[in-house]
Amino acid sequence: AGKGVSISDEAILSAYGNPVDEIAKQLLMAIAGKVDNDCAAAFRQATMNVEAAAFDKYVIVDMIAKFGEDIEDDMVVMINPAHLATLRKDKDFVEVMAGQKIISGEMGQLFGCRIVVSNKVQANEAFLVKAGAVEILMKRNVAVEADRDIVNKTNVYVVDEHYVVYLKDESKIVKATIA
């Protein structure tokens, strides 16, 4: 994954704040977003599936059932933000307070599973994931390079990362499709 941008001396000198720092921040966020999108695409390759007419806590119960007796491992349910209200209204939902969050986006627990909200999960899907389901193999971590074009009086900033995301273990992920 890679992204680059150039900025003129005039833009740097006339800008309010520090545009060079903002460029670095935005480029790194773009790469992180690409990795997130690739992880979401790997989740969608899950072979164990559950179908439901609507999203509720019983969708999670059906996804857990796909693991059979192998339910001792930590499990994370990835849901769309639109589904959070449904779970929060349920008496079995245990809300996690801000200081207790272990996973980014973790909102609570239900049936021993951590509930994580993500905009990368579409409204018609949910995922139950165990550790080791998806893997990111890193060839080279994020590299940021800068160069100067003296003829055009611009600075060029480029960032890239070499990795691959893949579904490592199909037996550790269940996809729910919601009609």
Side-chain angles (χ1 to χ4, degrees), residues 1-142:
K3 186 99 174 148
V5 67
S6 65
I7 186 169
S8 68
D9 288 354
E10 183 179 345
I12 293 171
L13 294 171
S14 64
Y16 179 76
N18 190 339
V20 175
D21 284 351
E22 188 62 25
I23 286 171
K25 177 182 164 188
Q26 293 290 329
L27 287 174
L28 292 173
M29 285 175 39
I31 294 296
K34 172 74 167 107
V35 174
D36 277 355
N37 289 340
D38 290 347
C39 287
F43 281 12
R44 290 184 182 99
Q45 295 174 2
T47 56
M48 287 195 289
N49 295 295
V50 167
E51 294 191 16
F55 183 82
D56 59 18
K57 69 180 181 181
Y58 299 109
V59 172
I60 297 171
V61 171
D62 291 342
M63 287 193 295
I64 293 170
K66 289 287 186 175
F67 289 133
E69 65 181 16
D70 189 19
I71 56 172
E72 299 302 317
D73 297 334
D74 286 337
M75 293 180 274
V76 176
V77 179
M78 305 286 295
I79 62 170
N80 181 279
H83 299 140
L84 181 59
T86 302
L87 295 182
R88 276 188 165 155
K89 293 174 188 174
D90 194 280
K91 64 179 174 48
D92 293 326
F93 183 75
V94 179
E95 187 118 14
V96 175
M97 298 305 154
Q100 300 172 325
K101 292 181 181 179
I102 296 172
I103 302 171
S104 177
E106 183 177 359
M107 302 307 289
Q109 294 185 1
L110 194 59
F111 306 121
C113 301
R114 294 179 179 176
I115 308 298
V116 174
V117 175
S118 174
N119 288 328
K120 303 292 181 179
V121 177
Q122 298 171 2
N124 67 339
E125 63 188 7
F127 300 96
L128 179 61
V129 184
K130 291 182 180 183
V134 171
E135 186 167 349
I136 302 172
L137 291 177
M138 192 66 62
K139 184 68 174 178
R140 185 179 76 197
N141 210 341
V142 177

